[in-house]
Amino acid sequence: MIECKRRLQNWRRQSLADQRDAKGRLPREVVPPYVSVKEAVFPFNKFPGVDPILGPEMRSTGEVMGVARSFGEAMLKSQLGAGSRLPDKGTVVITVKDADKPRAVAVARDLVALGFKVVATKGTFAAIAAAGIAARQVNKVKDGRPHIMDMVKAGEIQLVFTTVDETRTAIADSRVIRTAALANRITYYTTMAGCEAATEALKHRSDISVLSLQELHAELA
């Protein structure tokens, strides 16, 4: 133990130029020829009725990682590992805050190109429709029936993309869709970055590959 500590101290005192390997090569940054996506696993399904919106006090019960040649495929693998089911077809509901509407339009365009149907609440629908993308409008719960909750409970929604302003009122108003998605085992994303990443993952549903750790490590040599 003492010898190990001494060697560690000596190594820390060395300059970068002194830290050569057995073949005399200087240290170099290793840039893997693949992409790794880590995903946290949260136990929301064990607490019925809880609001699953992410917050700084959250504690995950584990983590998984997807590795692939592209970000989209790595994202898909990470979701599969975490138990989040991404649909092969169906309807995606999009309801986002004003600041996210331009990005939501791009997401909607990709979803339609992938063969999904898109429904959106009033403001989001207006932005999507203005871009010439096929979509259908659905009411928020406060706007009366038929509304978004009716579609969720009827099994008409397969994926939920929702973001809200970080105000107490906005979070409380949108709580119902998040809890409904959780109760009905519908995969949902509550950040625009997450929505975009999930959309990229959907593009790789039919070409997912399997890579061994031995293969990956061999490529780092």
Side-chain angles (χ1 to χ4, degrees):
M1 177 65 76
I2 295 176
E3 178 63 18
C4 289
K5 289 179 67 176
R6 186 183 63 79
R7 290 186 178 182
L8 179 59
Q9 289 169 352
N10 289 338
W11 179 81
R12 286 174 174 168
R13 285 194 292 265
Q14 290 177 338
S15 67
L16 187 62
D18 293 329
Q19 297 175 23
R20 299 175 182 270
D21 64 14
K23 296 182 179 180
R25 296 175 298 189
L26 290 170
R28 60 184 176 85
E29 180 182 4
V30 177
V31 181
Y34 49 82
V35 180
S36 300
V37 175
K38 186 170 71 171
E39 178 65 285
V41 179
F42 296 98
F44 293 129
N45 59 334
K46 295 182 180 179
F47 303 98
V50 70
D51 187 349
I53 192 169
L54 297 179
E57 74 285 354
M58 293 273 176
R59 295 291 183 274
S60 68
T61 56
E63 295 174 335
V64 296
M65 186 170 70
V67 181
R69 302 297 179 192
S70 67
F71 170 76
E73 187 182 352
M75 175 67 180
L76 176 59
K77 289 181 177 181
S78 74
Q79 300 309 287
L80 292 172
S84 297
R85 297 177 298 175
L86 289 175
D88 293 322
K89 59 183 179 179
T91 302
V92 183
V93 62
I94 305 177
T95 173
V96 301
K97 59 186 180 182
D98 288 343
D100 288 337
K101 285 181 172 56
R103 295 167 71 182
V105 169
V107 165
R109 182 178 289 110
D110 285 347
L111 289 171
V112 171
L114 289 169
F116 288 90
K117 296 177 182 178
V118 173
V119 298
T121 50
K122 185 177 180 180
T124 306
F125 169 78
I128 293 172
I133 302 168
R136 182 157 61 96
Q137 184 175 332
V138 62
N139 287 336
K140 292 182 178 180
V141 174
K142 64 180 181 180
D143 296 327
R145 286 185 157 165
H147 51 57
I148 195 169
M149 282 290 293
D150 295 324
M151 295 188 71
V152 169
K153 291 180 178 179
E156 299 176 22
I157 301 297
Q158 283 68 52
L159 188 60
V160 173
F161 289 166
T162 175
T163 69
V164 297
D165 289 308
E166 295 179 4
T167 64
R168 185 171 298 179
T169 300
I171 291 173
D173 288 345
S174 61
R175 181 180 188 273
V176 62
I177 186 172
R178 293 189 296 273
T179 55
L182 180 63
N184 289 274
R185 298 182 181 277
I186 300 172
T187 299
Y188 57 89
Y189 294 87
T190 59
T191 67
M192 204 61 231
C195 299
E196 292 167 335
T199 303
E200 282 299 311
L202 289 170
K203 297 176 183 178
H204 294 270
R205 294 166 296 162
S206 60
D207 60 2
I208 192 168
S209 60
V210 178
L211 302 172
S212 70
L213 290 177
Q214 289 84 352
E215 289 178 81
L216 297 174
H217 282 290
E219 295 179 11
L220 298 179

